[in-house]
Amino acid sequence: MVIKTRLTGSNGVEYIVEYFDADSFHDLPQEMIKQSYGVCFCDDKLVIGFGGMKKGWGLIGGSIEKGETSEAALYREIKEESNMEILNFLPVGYQKVIEVRDGNTFYQLRYACKVRPFGNFVIDGGDGMSEKGITEIRLIEPENYKKYFDWGEIGDRIMKRSLELRRVLDESK
């Protein structure tokens, strides 16, 4: 499935975003993968975080650091932002993001994850700048995600596919 949309980022830059379902990310150019996010399920609840640069609710995840794999970034970001650990995960899909002005292209990965808490939530300070970190997490009913964020057709597809994959994750306990 391919979904294509055009949007303007919070930085004012216009992007073309193409979403693709994927069972693997191995064929993508690894040096162009910039973000790794999880649609995280703790028991039967969806884990969402508040904060980041947009100061809104969203999925848990973030940028891949130099020398880090997308999977290592996923583990690190979920631990830092939600104080949870990944029990297992599966690829959901990816977004190919193209800047309209210069054609600069990068990829954003989405995974379905089964997680559990290490302990109580601790505010994530981000990269040392608290205004970029996650300041609150919630565990919500997955079908209620649009009360917190609405990413249009691409977001609907990511959530639908993640819910389908959650059954597979639950079976692989």
Side-chain angles (χ1 to χ4, degrees), residues 100-119:
V100 172
R101 67 178 177 209
D102 61 12
N104 183 36
T105 301
F106 59 93
Y107 295 90
Q108 301 172 326
L109 308 184
R110 302 296 183 256
Y111 294 90
C113 305
K114 187 142 182 95
V115 300
R116 72 173 172 213
F118 283 114

Side-chain angles (χ1 to χ4, degrees), residues 76-118:
R76 177 184 51 77
E77 288 285 353
I78 288 172
K79 182 179 179 182
E80 288 175 359
E81 293 187 351
S82 68
N83 203 34
M84 295 192 187
E85 67 179 327
I86 296 176
L87 302 174
N88 53 3
F89 65 94
L90 291 168
V92 172
Y94 64 90
Q95 296 178 140
K96 179 179 180 182
V97 182
I98 306 157
E99 287 186 40
V100 172
R101 67 178 177 209
D102 61 12
N104 183 36
T105 301
F106 59 93
Y107 295 90
Q108 301 172 326
L109 308 184
R110 302 296 183 256
Y111 294 90
C113 305
K114 187 142 182 95
V115 300
R116 72 173 172 213
F118 283 114

Side-chain angles (χ1 to χ4, degrees), residues 41-149:
F41 298 100
C42 183
D43 296 321
D44 62 341
K45 304 290 188 195
L46 175 66
V47 182
I48 60 173
F50 183 84
M53 295 182 74
K54 293 181 182 178
K55 296 284 186 231
W57 290 100
L59 301 176
I60 305 295
S63 297
I64 299 169
E65 296 177 355
K66 186 174 179 156
E68 190 175 46
T69 66
S70 60
E71 291 176 1
L74 182 70
Y75 276 88
R76 177 184 51 77
E77 288 285 353
I78 288 172
K79 182 179 179 182
E80 288 175 359
E81 293 187 351
S82 68
N83 203 34
M84 295 192 187
E85 67 179 327
I86 296 176
L87 302 174
N88 53 3
F89 65 94
L90 291 168
V92 172
Y94 64 90
Q95 296 178 140
K96 179 179 180 182
V97 182
I98 306 157
E99 287 186 40
V100 172
R101 67 178 177 209
D102 61 12
N104 183 36
T105 301
F106 59 93
Y107 295 90
Q108 301 172 326
L109 308 184
R110 302 296 183 256
Y111 294 90
C113 305
K114 187 142 182 95
V115 300
R116 72 173 172 213
F118 283 114
N120 292 331
F121 172 69
V122 178
I123 292 175
D124 168 42
D127 56 3
M129 300 170 63
S130 61
E131 70 271 5
K132 289 187 179 181
I134 298 298
T135 58
E136 182 181 352
I137 61 167
R138 286 194 183 161
L139 278 62
I140 65 168
E141 296 296 330
E143 63 273 9
N144 293 336
Y145 75 93
K146 282 194 175 186
K147 292 180 181 178
Y148 297 89
F149 56 89

